[in-house]
């Protein structure tokens, strides 16, 4: 019905077809962010100020460091015998990993905390924050830890005078610590509140779940002290986690201990006390063997001393009654031989008893630290001594590993396997030693019996004296032997020293490790930059409005012919009333482009539409008509938006007659033409709003009117209704030589581009192009985008001197 021409948008010869690119234009991205330079600068300033305030009022954290030298002793004699038994990884008594485990053990931390009495923490209120105090305490709180206590919360103490104070709850985040179940805390049944109670110094403050006394030290009236009660298990866990123990390097046997704390003196004393308890523990481990030896010997002495006393009394009584004091020469020889054999037999019996005791330890799986070393009891077997030593070490290591790992941990299971292997070998060696010792005792007994025949040849009196004196000598020799071993064990205990030693006592650094002031300032600056950029990025990502000309060009299936800048004046027709404005120049550029779009037509019919109302199609229609009229072309503007007419308002005309009048009556179109004030430009208004605008425009009469208008005028401009809202516009494309779809920057929805694409792909509309109106958001293209808006004339030879394009940096810093 209507004439159609091939769609130039699909032709490779069209000069306005721009190749679609998916590349990110860095210049556009930079310009997009620079438009918000004031917001970004403000956020960066706030970030730096926030970091400065954080540095100013944050609690300073200091690092306390010390070092311990771990001496590695040579492997025990016979250790090489166990290489095939899976014990090749044993390295004597000292192992760096084991020592680290001991230093970081909960037990050691608990001993150090208990020795320092750190269960009450005192704080002082500052301008904004609170700081912990450790030295020069104004008051001292004594706590009865034998009964349940409120821990975790904070009390507030305000000194009234030298004798009384006011106590209240500052923070009621309390838990109830029960000394009978120290590892499980319960919540109070109700909120803890003391009100503002007044107490005297030295008075017991007692409740259902608390009991403590506040003593005066050096407080003054008005002083405010905050304090918190902390149970020992919680403190031990806290310090255990915070303590860092590590070797200086892989080859070094020096351990470095470090702790970060806000109170330097507290950190130094804790680390020093921890090292002291560590060395004391090591010394106790060494002394335990000597103590066990003394205990074993005392058990033997308790039995032999009674026998010695009895035999001594019997010998003295026999000598007195029989008046015989010395043996004959023959008796003395027999006595000496008998005494030597009896002494050997007694020592062998003691060794046998030791072997039996050792076997009992192994069978009942006692801790290796409770075992008496064989060498102390005179056992010279190097293999047995080595086995007992290794067994004790493995048992001690198993205790340390069990304190830090579960039973299923690989290290615990591997060490347990080693213990089982050593125990098996020990049991075999002890059983062999028991058998050998029993054979020795049997042999000695047979030798003693052989001597008994010689004793029988002596006179009865001398024979009886020999028997009594022999029994006394046996007991005396065994007693002296045990006393010697006891003295040796006590001397060994007194001479014991820890093999490890403290190289450096704890010392805190003068410069705090936190807060890291420079880093915090940098982080504040970076956050101040990232936050607004992230906000802008999300805002742009969620933005559904068309702002970027290049993005619009990539989304539509037709060329984007030009861009019309923002009209900053209140004049709706800047082309006629302000011919030197930049907006006017953009319309002139658009007019020049028409020669490329329809180069062989003397008469031109142009249609303007959009997706929705408010995108500026009427503004563009009026000014395009005006720019042709200024050229001397006889131009007529026809208002076809019969539903929402606007042209009359812009020209200051009355919309009493127009196109709706011609189509609904017999009045010819010549009678509704109205002058615009320019000799080459007329206008036909839309006229009164009809009830059936779509049907009016679809009449054949409208086609006849258009034909007559084309014959009477050089340029005919159609101001059509939005194609996205009404249906009749689609029928009007056939009357136009060139059609323009108007978008408005910052107003049109991105989804509206699909309306234009559907017109081309599904509606069969040809010769249609895009225009971006109201361009005011600079995306880095200089508003020109290659099509003639804002050429930036800098001289007066062309007569355009009112508006000059700003430099790129000024446009980047200019707000929207």
């Amino acid at each position: 019905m209507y004439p159609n021409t091939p769609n130039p948008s699909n032709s490779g010869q069209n000069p306005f077809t721009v190749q679609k690119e998916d590349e990110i234009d860095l210049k556009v991205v930079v310009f997009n962010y620079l438009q918000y330079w004031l917001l970004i600068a403000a956020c960066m300033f706030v970030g730096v100020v926030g970091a400065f305030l954080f540095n100013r009022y944050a609690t300073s954290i200091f690092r306390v460091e010390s070092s311990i030298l771990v001496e590695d002793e040579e492997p025990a004699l016979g250790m090489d015998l166990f290489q095939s038994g899976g014990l090749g990884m044993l390295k004597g008594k000292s192992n760096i990993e084991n020592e680290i485990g001991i230093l970081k053990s909960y037990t050691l931390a608990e001993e150090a905390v208990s020795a320092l009495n750190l269960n009450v923490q005192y704080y002082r209120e500052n301008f904004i924050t609170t700081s912990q105090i450790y030295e020069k305490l104004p008051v001292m709180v004594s706590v009865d830890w034998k009964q349940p206590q409120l821990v975790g919360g904070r009390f507030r103490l305000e000194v009234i005078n030298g004798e009384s104070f006011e106590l209240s709850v500052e923070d009621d985040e309390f838990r109830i610590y029960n000394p009978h179940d120290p590892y499980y805390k319960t919540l109070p049944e109700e909120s803890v509140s003391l009100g503002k109670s007044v107490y005297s110094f030295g008075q017991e403050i007692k409740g259902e779940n608390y009991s403590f006394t506040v003593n005066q030290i050096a407080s003054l009236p008005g002083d405010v002290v905050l304090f918190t009660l902390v149970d020992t298990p919680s403190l031990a866990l806290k310090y255990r986690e915070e303590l860092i123990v590590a070797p200086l390097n892989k080859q070094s046997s020096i351990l470095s201990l470090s702790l970060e704390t806000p109170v330097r003196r507290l950190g130094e004393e804790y680390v020093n006390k921890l090292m002291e308890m560590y060395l004391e523990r090591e010394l106790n481990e060494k002394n335990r063997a000597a103590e066990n030896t003394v205990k074993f010997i005392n058990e033997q002495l308790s039995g032999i001393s009674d026998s010695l006393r009895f035999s001594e009394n019997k010998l003295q009584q026999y000598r007195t009654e029989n008046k015989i004091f010395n043996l004959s020469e023959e008796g003395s020889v027999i006595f000496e031989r008998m005494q030597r054999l009896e002494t050997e037999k007694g020592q062998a019996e003691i060794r046998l008893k030791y072997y039996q005791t050792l076997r009992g330890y192994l069978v009942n799986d006692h801790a290796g630290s409770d075992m008496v070393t064989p060498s102390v009891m005179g056992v010279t077997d190097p293999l047995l001594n080595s086995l007992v030593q290794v067994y004790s070490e493995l048992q001690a290591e198993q205790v340390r590993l069990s304190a830090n790992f579960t039973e299923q941990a690989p290290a615990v299971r591997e060490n347990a396997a080693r213990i089982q292997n050593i125990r098996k070998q020990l049991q075999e060696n002890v059983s062999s030693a028991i058998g050998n010792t029993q054979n020795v005792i049997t042999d000695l007994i047979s030798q003693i019996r052989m001597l008994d025949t010689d004793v029988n040849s002596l006179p009865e009196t001398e024979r009886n004296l020999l028997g009594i004196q022999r029994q006394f000598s046996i007991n005396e020799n065994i007693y002296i032997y045990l006393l010697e071993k006891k003295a040796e064990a006590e001397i060994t205990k007194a001479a014991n020293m820890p093999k490890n030693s403290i190289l450096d006592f704890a010392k805190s650094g003068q410069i705090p490790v936190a807060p890291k002031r420079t880093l915090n300032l940098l982080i504040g600056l970076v956050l101040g930059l990232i936050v607004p950029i992230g906000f802008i990025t999300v805002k742009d990502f969620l933005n559904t409005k068309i702002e970027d000309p290049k993005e619009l060009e990539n989304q539509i299936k037709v060329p984007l012919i030009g861009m019309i800048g923002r009209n900053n004046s209140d004049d709706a027709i800047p082309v006629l009333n302000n011919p030197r404005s930049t907006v006017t120049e953009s319309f002139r550029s658009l007019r020049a482009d028409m020669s490329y779009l329809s180069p062989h037509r003397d008469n031109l019919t142009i249609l303007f539409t959009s997706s929705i109302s408010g995108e500026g199609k009427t503004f563009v229609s009026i000014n395009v008509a005006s720019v042709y009229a200024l050229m001397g072309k006889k131009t007529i503007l026809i208002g076809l938006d019969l539903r929402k007419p606007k042209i009359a308002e812009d020209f200051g005309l009355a919309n009493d007659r127009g196109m709706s009048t011609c189509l609904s009556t017999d009045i010819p179109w010549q009678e509704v033409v109205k002058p615009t004030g320019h000799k080459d430009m007329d206008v036909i208004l839309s006229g009164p709003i009809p009830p059936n605008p779509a049907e009016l425009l679809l009449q054949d009469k409208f086609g006849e009117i258009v034909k007559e208008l084309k014959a009477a005028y050089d340029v005919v401009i159609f101001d059509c209704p939005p194609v996205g809202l009404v249906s009749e516009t689609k029928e009007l494309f056939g009357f136009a030589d060139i059609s323009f779809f108007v978008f408005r920057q910052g107003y049109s929805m991105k989804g509206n581009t699909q309306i234009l694409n559907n017109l081309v792909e599904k509606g069969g509309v040809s010769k249609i192009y895009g225009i971006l109106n109201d361009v005011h958001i600079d995306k880095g293209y200089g508003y020109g985008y290659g099509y003639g808006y804002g050429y930036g004339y800098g001289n007066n030879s062309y007569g355009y001197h009112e508006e000059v394009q700003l430099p790129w940096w000024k446009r980047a810093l200019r707000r929207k």
Side-chain angles (χ1 to χ4, degrees):
M1 176 179 178
Y2 303 112
N4 285 313
T5 58
N7 189 353
S9 64
N10 298 326
S11 174
Q13 303 299 323
N14 193 294
F16 299 100
T17 302
V18 180
Q19 183 179 0
K20 303 295 189 289
E21 297 180 357
D22 294 332
E23 298 178 359
I24 297 176
D25 194 330
L26 182 60
K27 179 182 176 183
V28 176
V29 175
V30 172
F31 267 75
N32 182 46
Y33 290 122
L34 286 179
Q35 293 178 85
Y36 299 91
W37 68 270
L38 190 59
L39 173 64
I40 295 175
C43 290
M44 293 174 68
F45 176 76
V46 171
V48 172
V49 171
F52 172 80
L53 293 177
F54 177 80
N55 290 337
R56 172 66 177 80
Y57 294 105
T59 302
S60 296
I61 304 297
F62 297 88
R63 178 178 284 114
V64 178
E65 294 182 310
S66 65
S67 58
I68 288 181
L69 175 63
V70 178
E71 294 287 352
D72 289 330
E73 294 184 358
E74 292 296 326
L77 182 63
M79 286 293 292
D80 55 333
L81 299 176
F82 309 115
Q83 296 292 333
S84 59
L87 301 175
M89 298 180 65
L90 292 175
K91 298 181 180 179
K93 291 186 177 180
S94 296
N95 181 280
I96 293 295
E97 294 299 326
N98 289 345
E99 300 306 314
I100 292 176
I102 295 173
L103 286 166
K104 285 188 65 67
S105 65
Y106 170 82
T107 303
L108 202 65
E110 189 176 33
E111 291 175 357
V113 168
S114 300
L116 290 174
N117 192 21
L118 303 177
N119 300 99
V120 183
Q121 298 177 350
Y122 304 87
Y123 298 88
R124 178 187 293 113
E125 287 184 324
N126 299 323
F127 176 65
I128 293 180
T129 59
T130 59
S131 59
Q132 185 177 354
I133 54 178
Y134 182 68
E135 298 178 297
K136 299 179 181 179
L137 299 175
V139 297
M140 177 68 72
V141 179
S142 300
V143 185
D144 182 10
W145 290 105
K146 295 181 180 180
Q147 76 153 52
Q149 292 290 349
L150 293 174
V151 297
R154 185 172 293 182
F155 295 94
R156 176 187 177 89
L157 184 152
E158 183 173 354
V159 179
I160 300 176
N161 51 48
E163 298 180 353
S164 61
F165 60 90
E166 185 178 85
L167 186 67
S168 60
V169 174
E170 178 79 6
D171 181 1
D172 63 350
E173 296 295 327
F174 288 102
R175 298 288 187 275
I176 299 177
Y177 167 77
N178 187 350
H180 304 294
D181 190 6
Y183 302 105
Y184 180 73
K185 304 179 184 66
T186 58
L187 287 170
E189 295 182 358
E190 57 184 20
S191 179
V192 178
S193 177
L194 299 177
K196 289 189 176 180
S197 305
V198 177
Y199 299 93
S200 299
F201 286 108
Q203 175 185 352
E204 183 181 14
I205 303 171
K206 189 175 181 63
E208 182 180 357
N209 294 313
Y210 59 90
S211 176
F212 55 86
T213 303
V214 180
N215 299 307
Q216 167 72 287
I217 296 181
S219 63
L220 299 176
D223 285 352
V224 175
V225 179
L226 308 176
F227 65 90
T228 300
L229 307 184
V230 187
D231 56 285
T232 298
S234 297
L235 279 174
L237 288 173
K238 171 179 176 291
Y239 283 112
R240 176 177 178 267
E241 294 174 358
E242 294 177 351
L243 182 70
I244 299 176
V245 183
L248 291 182
N249 52 61
K250 293 182 179 180
Q251 291 75 31
S252 175
S253 62
I254 297 177
L255 295 179
S256 172
L257 285 71
S258 61
L259 178 72
E260 293 185 358
T261 174
V263 185
R264 288 184 283 183
R265 178 62 64 184
L266 172 60
E268 291 174 352
E269 292 190 2
Y270 173 77
V271 173
N272 286 335
K273 180 58 69 174
L274 186 76
M275 293 190 297
E276 178 185 330
M277 303 306 294
Y278 167 73
L279 297 180
E280 183 177 332
R281 176 195 175 281
E282 180 189 349
L283 184 59
N284 290 338
E285 287 289 333
K286 283 190 171 184
N287 290 339
R288 187 172 301 173
E291 292 172 354
N292 292 334
T293 302
V294 172
K295 178 182 177 182
F296 178 80
I297 293 175
N298 285 334
E299 291 175 356
Q300 307 305 315
L301 284 173
S302 62
I304 200 68
S305 59
D306 293 338
S307 300
L308 178 61
R309 190 178 302 107
F310 174 78
S311 60
E312 182 182 13
N313 293 334
K314 187 175 180 181
L315 176 62
Q316 185 177 0
Q317 182 180 2
Y318 186 82
R319 283 176 173 176
T320 303
E321 291 177 353
N322 295 278
K323 297 182 180 181
I324 181 172
F325 298 97
N326 294 316
L327 295 173
S328 63
E329 183 177 350
E330 183 181 3
S332 298
V333 172
I334 295 174
F335 176 74
E336 289 177 0
R337 292 177 61 192
M338 186 72 72
Q339 185 180 24
R340 179 177 59 81
L341 293 174
E342 290 288 355
T343 301
E344 291 179 1
K345 176 175 171 290
Q347 293 176 354
E349 289 174 344
I350 292 176
R351 289 199 302 274
L352 179 61
K353 186 174 294 186
Y354 167 73
Y355 290 142
Q356 293 170 343
T357 303
L358 183 57
R359 184 171 60 181
Y361 273 107
L362 295 174
V363 171
N364 297 321
D365 195 17
H366 286 286
S369 57
D370 294 333
M371 297 172 61
V372 179
T373 305
S375 59
V376 175
M377 301 310 302
V379 178
T380 58
D381 185 354
L383 179 59
L384 183 60
N385 275 279
S386 179
L387 284 171
V388 170
Q389 181 178 341
V390 174
Y391 183 75
S392 299
E393 290 175 1
L394 290 176
Q395 284 282 19
E397 183 176 359
Q398 187 73 1
V399 172
R400 291 193 293 267
L401 291 174
S402 299
N404 296 284
F405 304 100
T406 63
E407 293 183 359
Q408 301 302 320
V412 178
R413 296 173 62 182
E414 182 181 358
N415 197 68
R418 293 177 179 175
I419 291 175
Q420 292 298 329
N421 191 14
I422 289 292
R423 182 187 293 117
K424 182 178 179 181
Q425 296 184 52
L426 260 177
Q427 289 175 339
E428 293 175 356
N429 278 268
V430 169
S431 298
S432 176
I434 289 176
N436 293 335
T437 305
Q438 288 175 340
N439 292 334
V440 170
I441 294 175
T442 302
D443 182 63
L444 290 172
I445 291 174
S446 65
Q447 293 185 44
I448 292 172
R449 286 176 179 172
M450 291 175 62
L451 284 176
D452 284 341
T453 57
D454 296 335
V455 171
N456 292 330
S457 63
L458 296 174
E460 181 181 1
T461 303
E462 189 174 357
R463 187 170 65 247
N464 293 336
L465 177 62
L466 178 62
I468 297 173
Q469 190 169 350
R470 184 185 67 178
Q471 189 63 38
F472 170 75
S473 297
I474 291 171
N475 293 331
E476 183 182 32
N477 290 335
I478 294 175
Y479 185 78
I480 293 173
Y481 172 77
L482 292 174
L483 287 180
E484 289 176 353
K485 292 300 179 181
K486 179 180 179 181
E488 290 175 3
E490 290 177 341
I491 292 172
T492 301
K493 178 182 177 181
N496 274 340
M497 291 290 291
K499 69 178 186 299
N500 303 327
S501 60
I502 298 175
L503 280 184
D504 297 309
F505 285 94
K507 187 69 177 178
S508 66
Q510 299 301 315
I511 300 176
V513 296
K516 300 183 182 297
R517 304 184 185 279
T518 304
L519 180 60
N520 289 341
L521 290 174
L522 180 60
I523 291 175
L525 183 67
V526 172
L527 286 178
L529 178 65
I530 291 177
V531 170
I533 288 179
F535 170 77
I536 295 168
T537 302
V538 173
K539 173 179 171 293
D540 289 346
F541 178 76
L542 299 177
N543 183 21
T544 58
K545 302 296 180 63
I546 295 174
E547 291 186 354
D548 188 354
K550 190 169 185 179
E551 182 182 3
L552 173 62
E553 190 173 37
N554 289 332
Q555 288 182 357
I556 60 177
K557 304 295 184 180
V558 299
L560 180 65
I561 293 303
M563 292 183 284
I564 309 299
R566 166 164 284 189
N567 182 22
N568 293 317
S569 66
D570 296 331
D571 193 349
I573 316 176
V575 170
L576 295 178
N577 301 325
N578 191 9
R580 293 180 295 180
S581 66
T582 311
V583 177
T584 301
E585 183 59 30
S586 65
F587 283 106
R588 288 193 180 95
S589 175
L590 183 60
R591 181 189 65 190
D593 293 336
M594 297 295 182
S595 61
Y596 296 101
L597 300 177
S598 184
H600 304 298
R601 291 182 181 270
D602 296 329
N603 294 329
L604 193 61
T605 304
I606 306 172
L607 180 147
F608 290 94
T609 186
S610 63
S611 57
I612 59 174
S613 178
E615 292 177 303
K617 61 176 181 54
T618 300
F619 171 76
V620 176
S621 302
I622 293 174
N623 284 279
V624 169
S626 300
V627 81
Y628 272 104
L630 289 175
M631 189 180 176
K633 295 281 187 179
K634 192 174 181 180
T635 307
I636 186 168
L637 174 64
I638 304 175
L640 297 181
D641 191 350
L642 305 184
R643 292 178 173 85
K644 194 175 181 182
K646 293 183 179 179
I647 297 178
E649 181 182 346
D650 293 336
F651 281 100
L653 301 174
N655 192 27
D656 52 350
R657 303 175 71 183
M659 184 58 69
S660 63
T661 307
C662 295
L663 295 176
S664 60
T665 65
D666 294 332
I667 299 175
W669 64 268
Q670 290 84 356
E671 294 185 12
V672 298
V673 174
K674 293 187 177 184
T676 61
H678 193 282
K679 64 177 182 177
D680 293 323
M681 181 177 175
D682 295 328
V683 63
I684 296 179
L685 302 177
S686 59
I689 300 175
N692 54 344
E695 287 73 11
L696 289 178
L697 292 176
L698 295 179
Q699 299 180 63
D700 293 337
K701 184 178 181 180
F702 177 73
E704 296 173 357
I705 293 174
V706 171
K707 185 176 181 181
E708 295 176 3
L709 287 170
K710 287 184 177 181
Y713 289 91
D714 298 327
V715 179
V716 180
I717 307 293
F718 291 161
D719 177 26
C720 296
V723 70
L725 300 179
V726 299
S727 60
E728 61 265 24
T729 304
K730 297 179 181 178
E731 305 297 334
L732 300 177
F733 286 110
F735 295 103
D737 299 319
I738 304 172
S739 301
F740 290 101
F741 199 98
V742 179
F743 298 94
R744 182 178 177 182
Q745 189 181 43
Y747 183 86
S748 300
M749 305 296 290
K750 293 179 180 179
N752 291 349
T753 58
Q754 192 59 37
I755 298 175
L756 174 57
N757 294 335
N758 289 336
L759 288 175
V760 176
E761 296 175 349
K762 300 178 181 179
V765 179
S766 61
K767 281 282 195 174
I768 187 168
Y769 305 94
I771 291 179
L772 182 59
N773 182 38
D774 192 28
V775 177
H776 60 282
I777 303 173
D778 192 351
K779 288 291 183 179
Y781 304 106
Y783 291 158
Y785 207 64
Y787 300 129
Y789 168 59
Y791 284 99
Y793 298 114
N795 54 59
N796 296 331
S797 61
Y798 295 94
Y800 300 103
H801 56 272
E802 282 191 357
E803 298 184 28
V804 178
Q805 183 179 1
L806 297 174
W808 70 269
W809 59 273
K810 287 187 178 180
R811 288 186 283 110
L813 299 180
R814 185 173 60 184
R815 298 185 66 188
K816 292 183 180 181

